Amino acid sequence: MLCGFLALVVIPTFVIACCPPKQWEGIEYTALGSTGADGKSHYTEIEQKVSVDTDRRMVYVAQSMVIDGANVMQTVLQNYNTATQYITRNGNCEKMGVTSVEPGCVPQNATAVLKSYMGAGNSKIMTTVYKYVTDMSTSYITMADDGCIPMAYEASGQNADGGGYQMTVEFFGITPGIADTSVFNEPAQCGANVPAFAGIGVGRR
């Protein structure tokens, strides 16, 4: 049985000299396998609609998740100006510190490792795969050369608690701009700070 509020937000950051639009929206599908410090394995699937506004420094995510077989529907509003996020589920809202890294351009040690393409014929999209390594993880992100649009993402490494994880992300229907900016309105009433199950954020501005 799930208890407490979960903050599992996966918004990969992007390589320097290849930044996406300052405002964009799209659908992400994430598969995340992890092992805790206790050796127990966990599996999470996430389908989420994402709205990112780097000028506002805010991210809104509407999530449908299956966590170890349990269904969770929630929204997450992240405000990086105040390092605060609001998780709303079943009509209840909780406020806590942000548990993932702000989307943006990652440092210059991101390396282009492969030029390739997706699709075929007139629908072919030229892509570049970039590799980014930190002390605890290795990430690969595939970007469309035209417009720097994210296509796919893979990462694996260690969690802070000593466990490990492996994650894949696929992107669909990425469009520039925000259709409804009211998604960034902070809830009028939200509970006090509570501990969160930290999600996995990657990269940095």
Side-chain angles (χ1 to χ4, degrees), residues 29 32 66 79 85 119:
Y29 176 79
L32 171 63
V66 181
N79 185 339
Q85 62 186 4

Side-chain angles (χ1 to χ4, degrees), residues 131-146:
K131 179 181 180 180
Y132 175 54
V133 179
T134 68
D135 291 340
M136 299 181 67
S137 66
T138 300
S139 305
Y140 295 88
I141 185 163
T142 302
M143 307 293 293
D145 292 342
D146 183 10

Side-chain angles (χ1 to χ4, degrees), residues 62 68 83 89 99 104 179 201:
D68 292 338
R89 174 158 40 100
T99 53

Side-chain angles (χ1 to χ4, degrees), residues 109-131:
N109 61 341
T111 304
V113 295
L114 178 66
K115 289 283 189 179
S116 188
Y117 63 89
M118 291 185 173
N122 293 333
S123 298
K124 182 184 293 185
I125 299 174
M126 304 307 297
T127 63
T128 301
V129 179
Y130 298 91
K131 179 181 180 180

